[in-house]
Each structure stands twice: as structure tokens, then as C-alpha cells.
Amino acid sequence: MPKISEKGVFMPASPIRKLTPYADQAKKEGKKVYHLNIGQPDIATPDVMLDAIKNIDFNVWAYTASEGTLAYRLKLTEYYNKLGYNITPEDILVTLGGSEAITIAMQTCVNEGDEIIIPEPFYANYNGFACMSNVVVKPILSHIENGFALPPIEEFEKLITPKTKAIIICNPNNPTGYLYAKEELDELKALCLEHDLFLFSDEAYREFCYDGREFISPMHLEGLDEHVVVLDTVSKRYSACGARLGCMITKNKEVIKSSLKFAQARLSPGMVEQIAGAAAVDTPDSYFEEVNKEYTLRRDTLVSRLNAIDGVFCPNPGGAFYVVAKFPIDDADLFCQWILEKFELNGETVMMAPATGFYSTPGQGKNEVRMAYVLNTDDLNKAMDCLTAALEQYPGRKI
Amino acid sequence: MPKISEKGVFMPASPIRKLTPYADQAKKEGKKVYHLNIGQPDIATPDVMLDAIKNIDFNVWAYTASEGTLAYRLKLTEYYNKLGYNITPEDILVTLGGSEAITIAMQTCVNEGDEIIIPEPFYANYNGFACMSNVVVKPILSHIENGFALPPIEEFEKLITPKTKAIIICNPNNPTGYLYAKEELDELKALCLEHDLFLFSDEAYREFCYDGREFISPMHLEGLDEHVVVLDTVSKRYSACGARLGCMITKNKEVIKSSLKFAQARLSPGMVEQIAGAAAVDTPDSYFEEVNKEYTLRRDTLVSRLNAIDGVFCPNPGGAFYVVAKFPIDDADLFCQWILEKFELNGETVMMAPATGFYSTPGQGKNEVRMAYVLNTDDLNKAMDCLTAALEQYPGRKI
């Protein structure tokens, strides 16, 4: 029997999805499971987007240009320029999800064996994409005590070697919800200019900023045109995770030209998705206002319920729809499995993502858990009732 | 300014798409361009598939399971078991196009630096995917004189080293249209068993077999369950290239388990596509009968017109919708550019793909061109009128 590859062995499993068999088993046993593990919002996709799908009027479901249709890239340009990005359609590569934007950016910009610095905890799949591209992730620890703010820039300096090629930030952050301030981005800018590094800016959660705070992108910073590569997706913005439609944006002509070769190899992004994505740009502002009001309410509910539990600490995040909280437990992986397998409150339980999978340094995040507040406040409250009771009963409780 | 990666430099450009700027320029000058360069059929997508898109009735465009929805995998199982593959939904990984099936299969099964043997000419993007995965392609020359039949198995034996991990066949073949016979597959089977190799079977053109000939898959061969990995797509079967919906099928449990980790990293295939793909399984047989009748007519038209040109030789292929023909020219790349740039017949010209891009051995295919017969016979005849005249006038003509 032929053997699978070493990469096939070492490729990390998804920390968000690895407990799925336990959740499935719990459901089989009749338990209701509140899913706080995955960033799949329950928010409705905008009507303009769904209507665009229903109203397709082609006969041949054909390939599009590898870089995406001009029609879609023009609409995207309109969207980004409203944000002040000052781009043209030629600066955009349309991708099959934000995931593909990340892989193409890594393959285009970073040599094998070279290094990317990422503040941890970070979006777990960066590890998988780095593994696929033989890129070395150099984590830099951020801390729950200050809400996972950008680590001091001297800590970055210490990690920089001749192999360092890029820094990835996710802003607002998945998994921490931290929203980077202008000062933090300015520090990163100086660092990237000094050491000639790419700055990958994962902006999947751009629309989700709370308490009147403003989103700032490295695209807003002057003098960084050759360094910034934006990684984006329609998944969260329009609650359209199943569209698999993202894009990569950069004003660096060498990067966009080379990335097109990777895009040509896989031929084309989805045609229907690009039609829907173009329509989505006309989503009314009221949609985002309502959604942000709803998420603010959910965040406030979740954070206050969490901090009311004895021994739990959860910072109040400025954006996205995740929190990372510290629990009085021995091991988040064991706890998240136990609550599915051994616990129930009135026939209900909760699925969460152990934070260990979001750290690349072994041993970090062992008493931390990521939760996505993608459920309505009633369900969130019931999930917190479960969690409160579970933390009292958990045999691995630690004070 | 930060530099792009070495991979970004060495990644091959698509031979099918690299002449696009010349075609665009020809169109700007008012020429009509017949596109024989790309396998984008003009055949209508089945109504059942388009209706499924128009009739979507969800509110949240959500992620699906990383391996694909159970509903879609059940319909696929129905489709494949009608062909005699004898599989279960657990043997299927749904992918973002056949392209992703190829990359995931390579990453899962072949170590970096290890080798895959592929009869050449072959689907050009195998080169790109191999480059992305650091897999070494070992080409084995097939010959236009015998219609690009499988090279003698002794030629494969000669190439096998401890690093050889897999063989890829594309059947019916892109770019040659060659349809492998049972005897050829049996020889490959013996070879894979003896040397414990994976057999990747790219079956994108399974539905397109002519002259009453039967399609045979390695899935039909006994004793090869652990070795066969089928790479498939709905692109050509249902003329749905823009759907970006494919799959990988294998009964090798280690392979399917490991491939799921790569699939989890990119989260999910498209949701709307899977709904449409499930509906497409119910496409009536009459659709395929009509399509095959049409392609047979086109093939006959193209092949007879080509062979009627002085100095041209084109084998009559048994499947797919491509031919590779030999022209009396110095250099196919120059000729295919020249016919777009410098030639016209009554304001019309032709875009073709130089065959050089389908060979991995430098210098091979220099007087060969790939054509896709994806146009109706009227247009094909006009394209052949252009080609006939062009070959008379071409300054690089060789007898």
C-alpha cells in the first residue's frame, strides 16, 4: 500500500472542527449543542446578494478571467475606494475564498524555509497554509491581560533574521477580537520599511468594529504601497461564508503579476459568486448598522456573562465577533471535549474551540477558549448557563 | 521594496492563457478571433443545474462541511456507482474545482522532491501544481504518430526510482484526446502494484468518448483500491467550468483522512455549487447523447479539415474535445502569436495553444498545436479557412 506524504502526516487538523465528532455524538444522544466554536454567523445574507443568484440569466456556466471578472473588480474598486484605499481593478486578484488569498500571498511572497512573524494567538489556518507552503511561522506572544494588544515592537525586532519576509496581522483579530490602533500600525509600518518586509493584512472582519471605533488598514498608511498585501473575503462582511469568494489586493506590481500565475493554474474563481459579490457592494448601509448593533449586544452579553463566572476573565474586544477567555481549568482541549461528552444542563451543552490551536508555541493557551458570538442573545445566555454550571462541575477545575 | 519568492518567479505561466494579450489586441483592431485555445465549451449547462441555482431558498449562505455536504456526496455516490465505481460518500472529498483535487492529491500523497511520472504532452497545469507542491514531474514521451497512445510500459520502468510516488493519467486525455484502452490500464495497474505507486486518474472528460468506445477507469480494475485516486470535476461534464466544483475519490482511507486536513484549512467548498451539482446528477441521458453527437461532428469536421491542409497531421482522437496536430512550421509559439498579430482572413483569425506548454521536456512539441473543438461546425470551418490560409502565408513555414 503506497504511503501518504510527510506533509499529509504533519498537516495540522483544524482546532475549530476537530471536536466535531464529539458534538455529533452529543446530538445523537439528544442534546442540543450551542455552536460557539465556529465563525459561522446566523445573520441573513443581504437580499441584493441572494437575489443576484436567483436572477442569473446565462446559459453557459463558464470560466471567468483568472484574476476575476472586470465587472466584479470594478465594483470591488468602488467598495475599497469608499474606504480610502485608492486602488484600481488591476490591484485586485479575486480568489476562491480568503483562504486562497492567504495561500497565494504566501507562495508569491515568501520563499520556502523563510519566516513570517505572526502575533499569537492567531487564526489557526495560517499554520496549515504555512505548512502547505513550507513557510516557517515565528509566533510573537500577545497577552490576555492587555486584551491581546500588539506586542511591543522590540519583541518583533528580536525575532527578525535575514529569513524574515513578512508579518501577518488580522485586524480586527480572529481569535481575540482585538482592534489595532493607528499607533500600532504606524509602528509596524516603520518596522516593515526598515527591514523591507511584506505586511499581510487580513481584514476579513473590517466591518465589525464597536463602540464607535474606526477601522484603520495599512492601506491607509503612506509610503507602504510596495509592502502591503490585503487579504479579504466576503464571508463575514455579507454573512456569505459558503460563497468562497475572496480577494488579494496590493499595489506592488511584481506581486500582483506573479500571483496571477498561481491563479491561472487553478483557472478561475466562481462565476455565480462574482455576480453575487458585485451585487453585494450595493448592500445598504442600514444592513451593516443593524448587524453591528446586534453584534454589540451579543458581545456585551457574552463578555459580561463570562466575567461574572468565578475564575473566568474575558477582555472586552473592539471588533470581529470572537472572544478569547481564560477559564479556571487544567486543559482547554480536555474541557471542551468533556463539556460535549460528559455534561449537560437541561439537555443542552456548548461547543467551543480550545485556544491551544490558535497558538503556535506549544503549551500556550492551555486555559483559554475561543468563542464566536454568532448566536442570538437568548441562545448566548443559555450557552452561558451551560458554561457556568459546567465550570462548577468540571473535574479538572483549578482555582 | 520586498522581493517576491523564487517560486513566484519560476511558477510557469499558463500556455492556454499567455497569448491572451495578443488576442485582446487583435480584437481591439476589429478582428474576429475564433477561440480554439481553451476548453471552454459553448454547450449549454443542463437546465436542472441552472434551475437549482435560481431556486435556492436559504437565508444564510453558509459554510458546508469541509469534505462537502452529505447530500451532495450521496448524489455523487449515485452517479459514480452507476458507472460501477462501488464507492460510499466517505470515499469522496468535494473540492473547489478539479484543480484543487489535483493539488490536494499531490500534497497528500507525494513528498517534496519526490517524483510523479506523467505521459507527455499533458495538461499544462500539472506543472504549476507540481511547482507549488515541490513535486518533480518526470515526463514520458508519447508520440503523435500513434495518436499519443500510452508509451511502452518498459519506458515507465526505466524512469522509476525510489523517489517515484505516483503516475498521473488523464483519460480521455487533455490535450491529445487519446482514450486509454483496457490493456493499457492493466499494464499501468501491474506497474503500480509492483512498485507501490499511486495512480492518479484525471477523468474530467469521462463523458466524452466517441465511435461507440467505452470509458474505462482504474476504478474498474480489481485489487487497486489503495492505489487509485480519481480527480474529477463538473466543469466539462455539465459545461459548468465556472462552478469550480470538483472532487477527489479514493478508497484509500489514509489518503482520504489526510486530505481532509488540507480541506479543513480552506474551510469549505461552495454551497450553491453543491446544490447545483446535486441537481446535475439528474441530467437526462438525452443531454449527453446530444452533446456527444455534436462533439463527434465537430471532431470529424476539425480532423478532416486539418488533415486536408498540406503538411498537417492530426490523429483522430477517441475522446475529450481536444486535438494536438503537427504543423509545417518552425515554432508553434511564434506561429500562434503571428496568426493573432499579423494575419487575418476577411477580418478573422484563430487563437490556438502552442503544444510546447503541454510538454515538460524542453524542445518537444515545437511544431505542434492544441485545439479545443468547443465551437460549432460553422465557426470551426471558418477557423480552418483562416488556418489553411495562414499556413500558406506564414514566413516560418517549413516543409
Side-chain angles (χ1 to χ4, degrees):
Chain A
M1 179 171 142
K3 282 206 188 78
I4 64 167
S5 69
E6 288 162 22
K7 204 175 268 184
V9 175
F10 291 120
M11 182 76 184
S14 163
I16 302 161
R17 297 182 178 230
K18 71 182 175 185
L19 294 174
T20 301
Y22 300 100
D24 290 345
Q25 182 58 31
K27 288 175 200 167
K28 265 190 201 154
E29 291 166 10
K31 290 184 206 172
K32 178 170 173 59
V33 177
Y34 293 105
H35 279 274
L36 302 182
N37 61 303
I38 192 164
Q40 171 56 63
D42 61 343
I43 302 286
T45 309
D47 288 338
V48 285
M49 205 174 189
L50 298 178
D51 289 344
I53 304 176
K54 291 172 190 163
N55 294 329
I56 55 154
D57 68 346
F58 56 80
N59 293 320
V60 182
W61 198 351
Y63 291 128
T64 74
S66 297
E67 65 270 30
T69 64
L70 182 59
Y72 181 44
R73 286 180 295 123
L74 278 167
K75 286 300 283 185
L76 281 178
T77 303
E78 177 189 328
Y79 164 79
Y80 289 111
N81 285 346
K82 245 188 215 170
L83 298 170
Y85 284 20
N86 193 21
I87 60 164
T88 70
E90 288 69 39
D91 302 327
I92 302 173
L93 181 81
V94 178
T95 57
L96 287 153
S99 303
E100 194 187 55
I102 302 169
T103 39
I104 291 184
M106 279 194 190
Q107 295 236 349
T108 303
C109 298
V110 187
N111 282 316
E112 302 183 16
D114 278 355
E115 300 166 358
I116 300 188
I117 300 176
I118 320 179
E120 69 177 351
F122 57 75
Y123 177 53
N125 288 321
Y126 294 153
N127 268 329
F129 300 130
C131 175
M132 284 163 66
S133 304
N134 294 323
V135 164
V136 180
V137 170
K138 290 291 192 179
I140 182 162
L141 199 60
S142 65
H143 299 275
I144 196 167
E145 291 75 17
N146 64 356
F148 300 104
L150 193 75
I153 214 77
E154 305 83 61
E155 298 297 316
F156 285 83
E157 294 271 10
K158 282 184 204 160
L159 283 182
I160 290 176
T161 75
K163 286 179 167 290
T164 310
K165 286 298 296 278
I167 293 170
I168 305 184
I169 55 165
C170 177
N171 185 29
N173 192 269
N174 172 8
T176 68
Y178 188 80
L179 178 64
Y180 290 104
K182 173 88 165 50
E183 297 69 39
E184 290 170 310
L185 296 175
D186 280 335
E187 288 186 301
L188 284 173
K189 169 183 162 177
L191 189 76
C192 289
L193 287 175
E194 187 186 340
H195 298 280
D196 218 14
L197 307 176
F198 286 110
L199 182 56
F200 293 165
S201 183
D202 181 340
E203 304 182 355
Y205 301 91
R206 183 190 300 113
E207 268 67 24
F208 308 97
C209 298
Y210 311 119
D211 312 323
R213 289 188 54 192
E214 195 189 356
F215 168 76
I216 298 162
S217 165
M219 290 293 280
H220 294 122
L221 307 183
E222 266 180 52
L224 214 49
D225 283 1
E226 304 291 344
H227 300 72
V228 177
V229 180
V230 171
L231 312 170
D232 206 358
T233 170
V234 304
S235 288
K236 315 295 172 172
R237 180 153 79 243
Y238 307 117
S239 193
C241 297
R244 315 316 300 134
L245 182 67
C247 72
M248 196 186 99
I249 305 164
T250 181
K251 297 182 190 176
N252 183 316
K253 299 290 174 205
E254 283 300 306
V255 171
I256 206 80
K257 191 177 141 196
S258 174
S259 67
L260 180 60
K261 295 193 289 183
F262 293 91
Q264 283 181 341
R266 59 66 166 141
L267 305 169
S268 161
M271 178 191 178
V272 172
E273 282 67 19
Q274 291 179 77
I275 294 170
V281 173
D282 295 324
T283 301
D285 289 345
S286 57
Y287 174 88
F288 297 106
E289 286 156 16
E290 273 177 47
V291 169
N292 265 21
K293 213 164 82 182
E294 175 64 23
Y295 276 124
T296 304
L297 190 66
R298 292 174 181 192
R299 180 201 60 170
D300 293 346
T301 304
L302 182 66
V303 171
S304 69
R305 285 294 309 261
L306 283 167
N307 284 316
I309 303 173
D310 193 32
V312 169
F313 171 63
C314 180
N316 191 34
F321 38 67
Y322 304 102
V323 299
V324 171
K326 195 158 94 176
F327 288 175
I329 52 172
D330 56 343
D331 185 307
D333 285 85
L334 293 178
F335 175 69
C336 291
Q337 184 178 329
W338 175 87
I339 198 170
L340 289 168
E341 260 193 314
K342 304 283 169 69
F343 173 86
E344 64 177 280
L345 178 70
N346 307 322
E348 302 185 336
T349 190
V350 189
M351 185 170 180
M352 297 167 292
T356 46
F358 299 88
Y359 287 87
S360 142
T361 307
Q364 288 294 343
K366 278 202 79 164
N367 60 353
E368 295 174 8
V369 165
R370 187 194 78 161
M371 281 161 278
Y373 43 98
V374 289
L375 304 181
N376 64 50
T377 49
D378 272 0
D379 285 351
L380 276 179
N381 271 314
K382 283 182 204 147
M384 288 305 103
D385 292 344
C386 287
L387 181 66
T388 306
L391 281 170
E392 279 169 15
Q393 293 170 31
Y394 179 56
R397 181 179 172 91
K398 277 189 166 183
I399 306 294
Chain B
M1 179 169 144
K3 281 206 187 76
I4 64 166
S5 70
E6 289 162 21
K7 203 174 269 180
V9 175
F10 291 121
M11 182 77 185
S14 163
I16 302 160
R17 297 181 178 231
K18 71 182 173 184
L19 293 175
T20 302
Y22 300 100
D24 289 346
Q25 182 58 32
K27 288 175 202 168
K28 265 190 204 156
E29 291 165 11
K31 291 185 207 171
K32 177 169 173 63
V33 178
Y34 293 105
H35 280 272
L36 303 182
N37 60 303
I38 192 164
Q40 171 56 62
D42 62 343
I43 303 286
T45 309
D47 288 338
V48 286
M49 204 172 188
L50 297 178
D51 289 345
I53 303 175
K54 291 172 189 161
N55 294 327
I56 54 154
D57 69 344
F58 55 80
N59 293 319
V60 182
W61 198 351
Y63 291 127
T64 74
S66 297
E67 65 271 29
T69 65
L70 182 59
Y72 181 44
R73 285 180 296 123
L74 278 166
K75 286 302 283 185
L76 281 178
T77 302
E78 178 189 325
Y79 164 78
Y80 288 111
N81 286 347
K82 245 188 215 169
L83 298 170
Y85 285 19
N86 193 21
I87 60 163
T88 69
E90 288 70 38
D91 302 327
I92 302 173
L93 181 81
V94 178
T95 56
L96 288 153
S99 303
E100 194 189 54
I102 302 169
T103 36
I104 290 184
M106 280 195 190
Q107 295 236 349
T108 302
C109 298
V110 187
N111 282 316
E112 300 181 18
D114 278 357
E115 299 166 357
I116 300 187
I117 299 176
I118 319 180
E120 68 177 354
F122 58 74
Y123 176 54
N125 288 321
Y126 295 153
N127 268 330
F129 299 131
C131 175
M132 283 162 66
S133 304
N134 293 324
V135 164
V136 180
V137 170
K138 290 290 191 181
I140 183 162
L141 198 60
S142 64
H143 298 276
I144 195 167
E145 291 74 19
N146 64 355
F148 299 104
L150 194 74
I153 213 77
E154 306 83 60
E155 298 296 317
F156 285 84
E157 294 270 10
K158 282 183 205 163
L159 283 183
I160 290 176
T161 75
K163 285 179 168 294
T164 311
K165 286 299 297 278
I167 293 170
I168 305 185
I169 55 165
C170 178
N171 185 31
N173 192 269
N174 172 8
T176 69
Y178 188 80
L179 179 64
Y180 290 103
K182 173 89 165 50
E183 296 69 40
E184 291 171 309
L185 296 175
D186 280 336
E187 289 187 300
L188 285 173
K189 170 183 162 176
L191 189 76
C192 289
L193 287 176
E194 188 187 340
H195 298 280
D196 217 13
L197 307 178
F198 286 109
L199 182 56
F200 293 165
S201 182
D202 182 339
E203 304 182 356
Y205 300 92
R206 182 190 300 112
E207 268 66 24
F208 307 98
C209 298
Y210 311 118
D211 312 323
R213 290 188 55 193
E214 196 188 356
F215 168 76
I216 299 161
S217 166
M219 290 295 280
H220 293 122
L221 308 183
E222 267 181 51
L224 214 51
D225 284 0
E226 305 290 347
H227 301 72
V228 178
V229 180
V230 171
L231 311 170
D232 206 359
T233 171
V234 303
S235 288
K236 315 297 172 169
R237 180 153 80 243
Y238 308 116
S239 194
C241 297
R244 313 317 300 134
L245 182 68
C247 71
M248 197 187 100
I249 305 166
T250 181
K251 297 182 189 175
N252 183 316
K253 298 291 176 204
E254 283 301 305
V255 171
I256 206 80
K257 191 177 142 195
S258 173
S259 67
L260 179 60
K261 294 192 291 183
F262 293 92
Q264 283 181 341
R266 59 68 167 140
L267 305 168
S268 161
M271 178 192 179
V272 171
E273 282 67 20
Q274 292 181 76
I275 293 169
V281 173
D282 296 323
T283 301
D285 288 344
S286 56
Y287 174 88
F288 297 105
E289 286 156 16
E290 273 178 49
V291 168
N292 265 22
K293 214 164 80 183
E294 175 65 21
Y295 276 124
T296 303
L297 189 66
R298 293 175 180 190
R299 180 200 60 169
D300 292 347
T301 303
L302 182 65
V303 171
S304 70
R305 285 294 309 259
L306 282 168
N307 284 316
I309 303 173
D310 192 33
V312 169
F313 172 62
C314 179
N316 190 33
F321 38 68
Y322 304 101
V323 299
V324 171
K326 195 158 94 176
F327 288 174
I329 52 171
D330 56 343
D331 185 306
D333 285 85
L334 293 178
F335 175 70
C336 291
Q337 185 178 327
W338 175 88
I339 199 170
L340 288 168
E341 262 192 314
K342 304 280 169 71
F343 173 86
E344 65 178 280
L345 179 71
N346 307 323
E348 301 184 335
T349 190
V350 189
M351 185 171 182
M352 296 168 293
T356 45
F358 299 88
Y359 286 88
S360 143
T361 307
Q364 288 294 341
K366 277 201 81 164
N367 60 352
E368 295 173 7
V369 164
R370 186 194 78 160
M371 281 159 279
Y373 42 98
V374 290
L375 303 181
N376 64 51
T377 49
D378 273 0
D379 285 350
L380 276 180
N381 272 315
K382 284 182 205 148
M384 287 305 103
D385 292 344
C386 287
L387 182 66
T388 306
L391 281 171
E392 279 169 16
Q393 294 169 30
Y394 180 56
R397 180 178 174 91
K398 277 190 168 181
I399 306 294

